[in-house]
Every structure is written in structure tokens, then in C-alpha cells.
Amino acid sequence: MNTFFSEPENGEPRAVDTTRSVHVSGLTRRFGDGPAVLDHLSLDIPSGQFVALLGRSGSGKSTLLRTLSGLDSVEYGEVARPKAVSVVFQESRLLPWKRVWQNVVLGQKGPEGKERALQVLKEVGLLHRVEAWPLTLSGGEAQRVALARALVRNPSFLMLDEPFAALDALTRIHMQNLVLSLWRKHQCTALLVTHDVDEALVLADRVLVLEHGRIKVDLPVTLPRPRRHAHPVFEQLRSELLHALGVQNA
Amino acid sequence: MSESGSRSRSVQKLRGRQLSFVWKESRRFLSPVLLVLFWQIASAGGFVSARILPSPAQLAHTAWGLIKDGSLPTNLLVSLERASIGFGLALGIGVILALISGLSRLGEDIIDAPLQILRTLPALALAPLFILWFGIGEEPKILLVTLGALFPIYLNLHKGIRSIDPKFLEMSRTLGLSRSQIIREVVLPGALPDLLLGVRYALGVAWLMLVVAEQVNAESGIGHMMMDAEDFLRTDIILVGLIVYGLLGLISDWVVRTGERWLLAWQVDGGKRV
Ligand SMILES: Nc1ncnc2c1ncn2[C@@H]1O[C@H](COP(=O)(O)OP(=O)(O)OP(=O)(O)O)[C@@H](O)[C@H]1O
Ligand SMILES: [Mg+2]
């Protein structure tokens, strides 16, 4: 059903604008009478950190992201996050009836909208597709537009929900590098949901594993970037994470 | 030398493509033209009685006469006026009702149920009632057109609004769009293809309602012209009226299609035309 018609949220996450850090404590979320999808979850992300969130399918990663982005209300627990947040979803969710640049500055006020759009589209390498209709974009291009749309708002906190899952391996590597350089440039706090342990280890300062509604593993990754998969520490972190995710003899 | 040769070859290719385009466009008219020719020959050969089916040449003659004495243009203008006022009303009312019931639950509860019930009534059967209610002036004719055209517009737009992908609405909320911005930027453009579909249906119904309204009781209009002709056994005038109705339908459909191609360029160019 259309969520557009849902009741207005009363439990909006508390917006803290002075900082880019994110604080979650005692967050519980259940659907109907089912078991708690998030169960007294607590999490602190310091300003500017790049966090990757792993977890089995159905473990509640998207649910956490929806709550952090303000799409779902907070029923139990506390959430404090910067006011300026942006979300990139697995599907680009570009409006097909707006040209690429119009999608980027959707809802942005001000007459210099197009210039701002051009600027970020240049950052994601899509200057040649500014006037294109979204239906004519390739999957990777569409995701880059979605990324541009997220960045044009200068988010303090950028959330990415499996943004590369539908892309081919090569495009995905390009996108990972792109996200990394944009994160550095815009200096935002980032939370990336992914299924790909390698992707998490290549990108993040810290990798979390969500299980039974809580953060089960919280692993700092101190390797210098760019990271090589063959690095022994990388290997060790990977098998640790795979083990936490329930994959044997990795 | 070789360059000019290749250029002339490419010019030839271009000319060939143009010719095939002209052929493709014109062959759609080929069978109607042949049919008219056949009809003319049959009439001229005396195979068809002119009383029952006058020849195309005769019809053209009659049409020209009706144009010259001013009766066709006058009646056409009256019919056009009724159709456009009636249709305009239907468009305005239908869009407003669909917006109210599409955008709010309360609105849907209040508006949708009665409209769904009314929809099942055959609008044509309301003609006698409308004449009793509104007399024999312009109102019953215009309102019959409005009533007929209202439902396709309302139903399609309502469906279009309700079937907007919730992911777009969610995305708009994360982008911080206000409610009115969401309606303007997401809901309305997203429902436009359905609205246009409704408009095309509605136009068809509008002409139909007009025919009936003008034939049941009217002092003017194409339908009236045809009913008058019946009294004088003028098959030719009736046929001219039919042709005019047909042309009106064709032209209005063409206008909407052209509008669609322009308004829905994102679908056409996106190659996802459905
Ligand atoms: N609107 C909803 N109503 C009922 N149950 C829901 C709803 N949304 C999510 N759930 C349930 O909550 C659980 C967590 O869902 P969520 O989408 O957060 O998983 P996820 O970790 O993102 O999974 P995936 O990796 O497959 O995307 C699932 O069991 C799902 O069925
Ligand atoms: Mg998910």
C-alpha cells in the first residue's frame, strides 16, 4: 500500500545539527506481534566515520536504515542523528518523468539548481547525460545519478542500502572507488549496508554484523587505503566476518 | 572521385529511405481509398440504389451544398460547442474528484463509493430524465456529455494516483519534499499517462453522448440535422452527418495522441512505451 497516505510520524528521530555523529540507544522495532527485528540495539558512529553494516537477509539492516533516515518512526529507544541525511537505495528510484539533472536537484530551492546539478554530475562522471531521461540510463549510470542526488544536499550523514547489489562486478569496483572519493571529499559520516564482506572491508573504517536485532560484531578496520584483498590482515578479517555470518570453511 | 561516388550512393540510400517512409505512411490510406473507389463504381454502375446508399460523389455534392448554405458549419459549431463545454466540465470535475479521492482516505470514502455506483448506470438511459429535469435547452445536452466523459477521466486518474510506486513516495520523503511538492512533482506526473488514457476514452464517450442528446431533442447540431434529414428521406445528409461525427472523433483522438507524444516524451524516448 502507499506509504504516502500513512499517518504523520510523531516519533521523528531527534535531529542534532551541531555534529555529524549518530547515536542510537535501546532501539527496538517489531512489526505487528512478530519478534523484535531490532532488539534494544545501541550504536554510536563518530563524526566522519565510514561504517559498513553486514547481516543475513532479514536481519533488520534495512529496518535500521529506515529508522535512521526518518522513514519509520522510533517507537522504543532513542535515535539522534544529523539533520542533513541522504539515502541511496538499491534501486536508483529516479523519477522517470524528470531529466537527470532535474532528478538530482528534486525539491531543492533556488535558481542556480541546474548549476549545482552539473557540478555533482561532474563529480560522478555523468556530465554527458545531464539532459537524458532516466529510462535511457544503464544501471550503473542510474546509481551514479542517485549518488549525485544524495550528495547535492551536502549530507552530514550518508546512508547506502546495498547500492551496488544490482551492478556487475566491474561497475561495482568503479562505484566503490567513487563512493570512497566522494566520502573523503564531502567528509560525511557514512553507513553502508552490504552483503559483500570484501566490499565492506575495502571501504569501511569499521564493520558491524547485525544479528538477532543487535550488533553482534563490531570490528575496526585499520588497514590503510587502498586495500589489497591479498593482505594477511584483510584475509583474517574476512574469515572472522564470514564466520560471524555463519559461513563455514571460508 | 570515389568520395563523390560514395556521397551519391548515400544520397540514393537516403532517397530510398524517404520513399519507403512515404510508402509506409500512405499505405494505411490505401484500403479506405480503394473502398471508396469501389463504392463509387458500384453506385455509378447502378448496383446500389441511390436512395439506400448515395455514391461518394453525391455525398461530396451534398456536403458542399450544406457548407454553402451555411447549415453544416452552423450545426457543426453548435455541436462542437456542446462537446467542448461538456467535456471541459467533465475534465475539470473529474480531475478534482480524482485528486480528492486519490490523495486522502477520507476523500476516497466519501467520493469513490457513490461514483462507482453511478458508473454502473448506463449514461445513455439518463437522457429522458435529463430532459425532464433540465428542459430542452442546452443544459441537458451539455450535462449528458459531461456525465458520460466524467467516469473515464475520474476512474483512470484515480487509479493512476493510487498506483504510484510507493518507493517514489518514500524517496521523496527522504529528500525532504513537502506534501504539495510530492503531489506536484511525483503524484501528478506519475498519474499523467493514466489521465491521458482516460481522456481518450472520455472523448469517445463524449461524442456518443452528444449524438444521442442531439437526436433525442434538439433544434440544432449535427444530430438534429440528421434527424431532420430522416423526415425528408435524405439518406445523403444523414451520411454526411455520420462522416462529420467520424471525422470529429478521429481528429480529437489525433489531438490527444499528439499531446501524449509530447507530454510523455520520457516514456517514448525511454523506449518503455506501454
Ligand atoms: N513493513 C513490514 N511489515 C512486516 N514485516 C517487515 C516489514 N518490513 C520488514 N519486515 C520484516 O523485518 C525483518 C527485517 O527486514 P529488513 O528488510 O530490515 O531485512 P534486511 O536485513 O534489510 O534484509 P535484506 O538483506 O534481505 O535486505 C524481515 O523479517 C522482514 O520480513
Ligand atoms: Mg534490506
Side-chain angles (χ1 to χ4, degrees):
Chain A
M1 202 60 243
N2 262 332
T3 50
F4 181 63
F5 308 100
S6 62
E7 298 304 310
E9 324 289 341
N10 36 18
E12 284 269 327
R14 196 153 49 86
V16 183
D17 226 354
T18 47
T19 160
R20 290 158 185 264
S21 57
V22 178
H23 308 280
V24 179
S25 66
L27 178 63
T28 299
R29 176 87 164 111
R30 51 163 47 90
F31 295 100
D33 300 330
V37 174
L38 302 177
D39 187 10
H40 295 91
L41 182 141
S42 293
L43 170 65
D44 281 300
I45 308 178
S47 179
Q49 195 172 52
F50 196 131
V51 177
L53 180 61
L54 294 167
R56 288 185 224 193
S57 184
S59 56
K61 305 181 294 294
S62 297
T63 304
L64 177 59
L65 226 66
R66 292 177 57 85
T67 308
L68 287 177
S69 65
L71 278 174
D72 289 353
S73 55
V74 182
E75 287 163 348
Y76 304 100
E78 290 228 12
V79 172
R81 51 117 167 119
K83 206 182 181 91
V85 296
S86 285
V87 193
V88 178
F89 299 95
Q90 180 176 338
E91 337 79 47
S92 57
R93 303 195 185 185
L94 301 176
L95 297 177
W97 45 85
K98 296 211 169 276
R99 294 185 187 275
V100 161
W101 73 268
Q102 292 171 319
N103 261 289
V104 170
V105 288
L106 184 67
Q108 296 281 95
K109 291 174 200 75
E112 71 288 2
K114 186 160 186 179
E115 259 162 58
R116 305 244 304 125
L118 289 179
Q119 211 178 317
V120 278
L121 282 169
K122 188 177 175 190
E123 284 182 35
V124 299
L126 275 180
L127 261 190
H128 59 296
R129 301 294 270 149
V130 169
E131 296 285 347
W133 294 115
L135 290 179
T136 65
L137 298 176
S138 75
E141 286 172 338
Q143 273 315 63
R144 281 190 276 163
V145 177
L147 207 53
R149 182 179 59 190
L151 291 173
V152 83
R153 276 143 240 275
N154 289 323
S156 306
F157 181 30
L158 175 65
M159 284 168 269
L160 307 128
D161 194 351
E162 302 184 38
F164 320 130
L167 304 178
D168 66 273
L170 204 61
T171 313
R172 194 181 310 179
I173 295 173
H174 282 300
M175 289 291 286
Q176 288 169 358
N177 292 334
L178 181 64
V179 164
L180 210 52
S181 70
L182 291 171
W183 165 69
R184 281 211 194 93
K185 181 162 176 241
H186 291 258
Q187 299 189 317
C188 48
T189 308
L191 178 59
L192 166 79
V193 170
T194 175
H195 276 127
D196 184 342
V197 173
D198 283 357
E199 181 171 284
L201 287 173
V202 164
L203 294 177
D205 297 316
R206 176 181 169 201
V207 182
L208 309 173
V209 176
L210 189 62
E211 194 176 307
H212 301 308
R214 298 187 190 208
I215 306 293
K216 181 189 170 197
V217 176
D218 188 340
L219 212 60
V221 185
T222 49
L223 286 170
R225 296 184 179 92
R227 294 173 181 157
R228 285 182 304 109
H229 294 214
H231 197 285
V233 179
F234 194 104
E235 295 269 6
Q236 190 213 325
L237 288 170
R238 179 206 279 136
S239 61
E240 214 170 310
L241 286 170
L242 284 173
H243 182 76
L245 289 164
V247 181
Q248 303 303 324
N249 32 329
Chain B
M1 188 64 200
S2 77
E3 199 182 76
S4 82
S6 83
R7 190 178 305 153
S8 83
R9 213 173 305 135
S10 77
V11 166
Q12 254 175 9
K13 216 184 264 170
L14 192 72
R15 180 139 335 131
R17 216 175 294 154
Q18 277 170 345
L19 275 180
S20 89
F21 176 76
V22 170
W23 162 239
K24 255 187 208 151
E25 285 298 297
S26 53
R27 75 182 168 195
R28 291 170 48 208
F29 300 99
L30 198 65
S31 60
V33 167
L34 280 177
L35 211 65
V36 170
L37 260 180
F38 180 70
W39 175 6
Q40 176 66 39
I41 291 167
S43 296
F47 298 109
V48 193
S49 150
R51 262 280 210 78
I52 294 172
L53 189 64
S55 74
Q58 244 173 307
L59 288 184
H61 183 75
T62 306
W64 179 240
L66 288 172
I67 292 172
K68 254 201 330 212
D69 73 6
S71 57
L72 183 58
T74 319
N75 285 316
L76 180 61
L77 219 62
V78 172
S79 289
L80 270 180
E81 191 181 322
R82 285 174 186 150
S84 33
I85 296 178
F87 182 80
L89 277 175
L91 187 65
I93 298 172
V95 167
I96 290 171
L97 289 181
L99 281 180
I100 296 174
S101 81
L103 293 176
S104 85
R105 288 254 172 262
L106 181 66
E108 178 162 41
D109 291 344
I110 293 171
I111 288 175
D112 200 54
L115 277 178
Q116 297 286 354
I117 295 168
L118 274 180
R119 176 177 80 104
T120 59
L121 287 177
L124 289 177
L126 291 174
L129 194 61
F130 271 44
I131 291 165
L132 278 183
W133 282 351
F134 302 108
I136 52 166
E138 289 299 295
E139 292 93 347
K141 301 167 189 81
I142 291 176
L143 289 177
L144 268 178
V145 172
T146 304
L147 189 76
L150 179 65
F151 295 110
I153 291 174
Y154 168 81
L155 293 171
N156 278 286
L157 182 56
H158 179 260
K159 179 193 135 245
I161 293 175
R162 284 289 167 174
S163 55
I164 297 277
D165 190 343
K167 285 181 175 163
F168 286 146
L169 302 174
E170 230 174 65
M171 180 274 301
S172 317
R173 276 170 51 205
T174 68
L175 294 182
L177 267 66
S178 68
R179 199 181 153 85
S180 68
Q181 274 176 320
I182 293 181
I183 292 173
R184 221 175 35 243
E185 312 272 8
V186 184
V187 177
L188 289 183
L192 189 61
D194 289 292
L195 174 63
L196 289 173
L197 191 68
V199 163
R200 259 169 75 184
Y201 276 122
L203 277 173
V205 178
W207 292 122
L208 189 70
M209 300 300 281
L210 188 69
V211 174
V212 172
E214 288 187 342
Q215 293 192 348
V216 169
N217 86 319
E219 300 301 312
S220 56
I222 299 293
H224 166 74
M225 189 182 87
M226 288 163 72
M227 290 313 280
D228 247 13
E230 190 192 348
D231 293 341
F232 298 100
L233 304 177
R234 289 289 302 271
T235 321
D236 52 338
I237 297 185
I238 296 181
L239 282 170
V240 168
L242 274 177
I243 292 170
V244 170
Y245 273 136
L247 286 178
L248 287 175
L250 274 182
I251 292 171
S252 54
D253 200 58
W254 176 81
V255 169
V256 181
R257 272 167 188 272
T258 310
E260 258 180 11
R261 212 169 303 146
W262 177 65
L263 287 168
L264 306 182
W266 55 272
Q267 279 187 344
V268 184
D269 301 348
K272 296 249 171 100
R273 191 79 181 82
V274 272

